[in-house]
Amino acid sequence: MTGDALNKLPVELLNAIGRLCGPSELSSLILSSRRLHEILTTLLYTSIELYDYGTARTCIRTLSTDPTSLSLKRDLCSLVRSFTLNFSHWGLSPFLRTKLARRLQRALGRMTGLQHVALTPTYFGTSAIFSALVRATGPTLRSLKFGAEGGDKDANVFAGLLPHLVFPELVSINLPLSGVSSPWVGPFTQILSSRATNIRSLTFDLWEALSPLIEDVDAWPRLEELTLGGKGVPFGERTLGGKLAAFSEFPPAPNLRSLTLLCVSDGDEWPESIVVARDVFPNLETLACPYQLLPAFLPGVEHKQRPIRTVRLNQAYYDEDGGEGDFERGVQPEWESLCEALACIPHSAGPIVNLSFFVNWFDCGDLGDDAVLWSRTLERLAIVVYQDPGRTHAMKDWGKDFFAHTPHLRTFLLSDAPLKASDSSLSFMFADEVRKQHAWLEKWEEHTSALKKVAFSSEFMWRKTGGGWGRRRTNASAEDDDDDDDDDDDDGDDEADESEGSVAFEEE
């Protein structure tokens, strides 16, 4: 289609085309004519995600520019509804960092319609930027993720302003605090207290920050998702029992459906005497935690505990479409300890149908005997393994030893994500043995008709259709493109940028 023909299309169709474009393509369309500029600019700026310094510099420079100097005299900041800034640029000089922060402050101060914001680089988590953000967006803000700078001594300066600011729409808060002594505890405590009855999603990256932040909260009547402890952030010096006992201090959250607890040291064990009281999170359906904590939520008592249906241990994850996997770094759970913890699965009132866990190593010949007690109700099982499993020839017998005892299991996934994390070319030794895998699948079919999807690694995904088992390669081994935009002197930097392919720009 020629440019003239495209320019003559009705507005509704142009908007539909624009929604199918990526930022680069949409930018090119906007530059092609004044009419497309007027129609599609709103789409380009509605949602902004900045994951590298070069794009962030270009976009924030344009957003912070005086609207009267832009071609359409339009305040682009007023178009933004979602804004994400998340990049690490260790080579960024203090001068450039300060300049970018100053522009960011100007831009956020004009985003009066902003609904969702995520600022994770802590060197942008200053009191000046936060003050500009909440002043402009308070009435419209729905979700807030703010990586506060722990050393910002001015954080309490504007705390007196917060009681006069209203957050009528705020329902999701994510606070990656650097410590309980952070000057941000006071301001954030005021926000949480004022919105406690409406918050639906809450994340703290530091367990020890929990108590001081919620001390003025009586209840969380609408809270549905809670995450405590961030990646690489330890729980602190409290014992495991002390960590779980902290839940007795947590305000009632009767509607909590999803709980994520992260980062317990590999040496922590779970004393059987430690139990999270039944009236704490009574309607919990999804639990993600280190394997040591699972029995505390599903103790072996007379009555079934909590309607948990999904369990994810030690951040184990397998993306069925792309083959990508994830796991908790720094720990290597042993098979015997895992099975001991998993023995509590039948105690769920769910029942548990979706289970993912990370293990250092296991013997394929032991899967049937060890897993039969906790796998009967499963519909999906994902196992992320740190190194090649042992006795892989025993996989041929998994049909009678394991799958015959899992009548509901439709999806079974093995992930070699830890191997690929160290070298993307690595995988299980049997990952490419297609004929052997197919023979195993046919052997398993003699004992189960439920199984429909299987992965022996992140290389292939097998699916059963009317014509039998077929496979397709995943994209787990695809290498990410590196965007090295380190050499930037930021000259002439007070003008809006027009670089083709940038997320945000304006015509002269």
Side-chain angles (χ1 to χ4, degrees):
M1 180 179 291
T2 65
D4 289 340
L6 183 65
N7 201 37
K8 293 177 182 178
L9 291 177
V11 173
E12 295 79 9
L13 188 53
L14 287 174
N15 278 319
I17 294 173
R19 281 189 286 270
L20 296 175
C21 296
S24 180
E25 293 80 8
L26 190 55
S27 299
S28 298
L29 279 177
I30 290 173
L31 283 178
S32 64
S33 77
R34 187 177 184 85
R35 180 170 182 262
L36 292 179
H37 190 297
E38 293 175 347
I39 295 171
L40 298 179
T41 295
T42 298
L43 279 179
L44 181 63
Y45 288 91
T46 296
S47 179
I48 296 177
E49 298 180 354
L50 306 173
Y51 295 108
D52 66 86
Y53 168 69
T55 305
R57 182 209 60 181
T58 300
C59 178
I60 295 172
R61 174 194 296 168
T62 299
L63 289 170
S64 63
T65 300
D66 185 350
T68 59
S69 66
L70 302 178
S71 61
L72 297 182
K73 315 300 181 186
R74 177 164 34 178
D75 190 353
L76 301 175
C77 293
S78 65
L79 304 177
V80 182
R81 297 295 177 265
S82 177
F83 184 84
T84 298
L85 180 62
N86 182 10
F87 71 90
S88 177
H89 197 284
W90 298 106
L92 192 61
S93 69
F95 172 76
L96 295 180
R97 184 185 305 175
T98 301
K99 180 174 289 189
L100 188 60
R102 188 174 65 246
R103 290 176 176 157
L104 178 62
Q105 179 182 343
R106 290 202 303 264
L108 289 173
R110 299 210 310 268
M111 294 184 188
T112 54
L114 191 63
Q115 298 175 356
H116 309 280
V117 62
L119 301 177
T120 53
T122 55
Y123 46 78
F124 292 136
T126 65
S127 57
I129 288 178
F130 188 71
S131 179
L133 173 66
V134 297
R135 285 174 180 272
T137 67
T140 60
L141 197 61
R142 295 184 57 81
S143 67
L144 169 66
K145 182 176 182 180
F146 191 79
E149 171 57 62
D152 189 345
K153 302 304 181 182
D154 295 327
N156 279 319
V157 172
F158 65 91
L161 299 174
L162 293 177
H164 306 289
L165 296 174
V166 181
F167 303 91
E169 304 294 330
L170 189 60
V171 296
S172 177
I173 298 179
N174 186 329
L175 304 178
L177 290 178
S178 58
V180 290
S181 60
S182 168
W184 290 91
V185 170
F188 285 147
T189 297
Q190 294 185 37
I191 295 177
L192 288 170
S193 299
S194 66
R195 293 300 299 163
T197 58
N198 298 88
I199 293 295
R200 290 183 172 84
S201 177
L202 192 58
T203 298
F204 297 109
D205 268 13
L206 197 65
W207 181 285
E208 281 77 4
L210 176 63
S211 295
L213 283 168
I214 65 174
E215 60 184 3
D216 295 329
V217 176
D218 295 325
W220 303 98
R222 297 187 181 182
L223 187 64
E224 298 175 357
E225 299 179 4
L226 174 64
T227 299
L228 293 175
K231 280 188 175 181
V233 182
F235 275 89
E237 299 303 322
R238 300 178 79 166
T239 64
L240 184 57
K243 296 161 188 172
L244 293 178
F247 283 126
S248 63
E249 308 165 8
F250 198 83
N255 291 307
L256 191 76
R257 297 293 188 269
S258 177
L259 175 64
T260 299
L261 305 173
L262 305 175
C263 294
V264 171
S265 69
D266 199 24
D268 278 339
E269 296 296 337
W270 54 273
E272 294 184 3
S273 59
I274 296 178
V275 173
V276 177
R278 190 179 181 186
D279 59 349
V280 177
F281 315 139
N283 295 307
L284 191 63
E285 296 176 353
T286 298
L287 175 62
C289 67
Y291 74 91
Q292 301 99 317
L293 301 187
L294 182 61
F297 289 89
L298 296 173
V301 295
E302 181 179 354
H303 301 289
K304 294 280 188 179
Q305 297 288 311
R306 297 180 179 84
I308 298 175
R309 295 180 61 82
T310 296
V311 171
R312 181 185 174 207
L313 302 178
N314 296 96
Q315 304 176 39
Y317 171 75
Y318 192 110
D319 174 16
E320 296 177 22
D321 294 323
E324 301 289 347
D326 199 6
F327 60 100
E328 182 179 359
R329 274 69 171 173
V331 302
Q332 295 181 9
E334 297 300 328
W335 178 255
E336 293 78 9
S337 299
L338 260 171
C339 288
E340 186 178 357
L342 292 172
C344 69
I345 281 182
H347 303 158
S348 172
I352 292 174
V353 298
N354 188 346
L355 172 64
S356 303
F357 62 81
F358 169 45
V359 64
N360 177 38
W361 178 87
F362 74 98
D363 187 322
C364 293
D366 295 337
L367 179 64
D369 292 338
D370 294 340
V372 67
L373 295 177
W374 46 260
S375 59
R376 294 184 183 276
T377 63
L378 297 182
E379 297 178 7
R380 182 184 185 275
L381 174 60
I383 305 177
V384 180
V385 191
Y386 188 78
Q387 54 186 313
D388 279 270
R391 289 201 295 165
T392 56
H393 65 273
M395 287 187 182
K396 67 179 186 300
D397 297 322
W398 278 359
K400 63 182 178 65
D401 294 341
F402 177 65
F403 294 110
H405 306 286
T406 56
H408 308 289
L409 192 65
R410 298 196 299 266
T411 301
F412 178 77
L413 309 168
L414 288 177
S415 172
D416 49 14
L419 289 173
K420 290 194 175 298
S422 59
D423 186 338
S424 61
S425 66
L426 297 178
S427 61
F428 292 147
M429 290 187 294
F430 52 84
D432 290 319
E433 296 181 350
V434 177
R435 292 184 179 179
K436 182 180 291 188
Q437 293 176 17
H438 190 266
W440 290 340
L441 292 170
E442 290 186 329
K443 189 72 173 177
W444 297 351
E445 277 191 295
E446 299 175 6
H447 304 277
T448 178
S449 60
L451 202 60
K452 304 297 182 185
K453 190 184 300 183
V454 173
F456 293 94
S457 72
S458 56
E459 300 294 324
F460 298 101
M461 177 68 70
W462 291 88
R463 298 176 188 269
K464 185 180 179 182
T465 62
W469 288 97
R471 64 182 174 88
R472 66 170 180 80
R473 182 174 290 276
T474 68
N475 60 3
S477 299
E479 295 183 359
D480 294 330
D481 293 331
D482 292 326
D483 184 8
D484 294 325
D485 192 6
D486 297 335
D487 299 326
D488 176 24
D489 58 8
D490 211 31
D491 291 338
D493 42 28
D494 284 328
E495 297 296 328
D497 191 77
E498 291 186 68
S499 306
E500 184 173 337
S502 64
V503 167
F505 52 81
E506 184 73 19
E507 293 183 45
E508 293 283 358

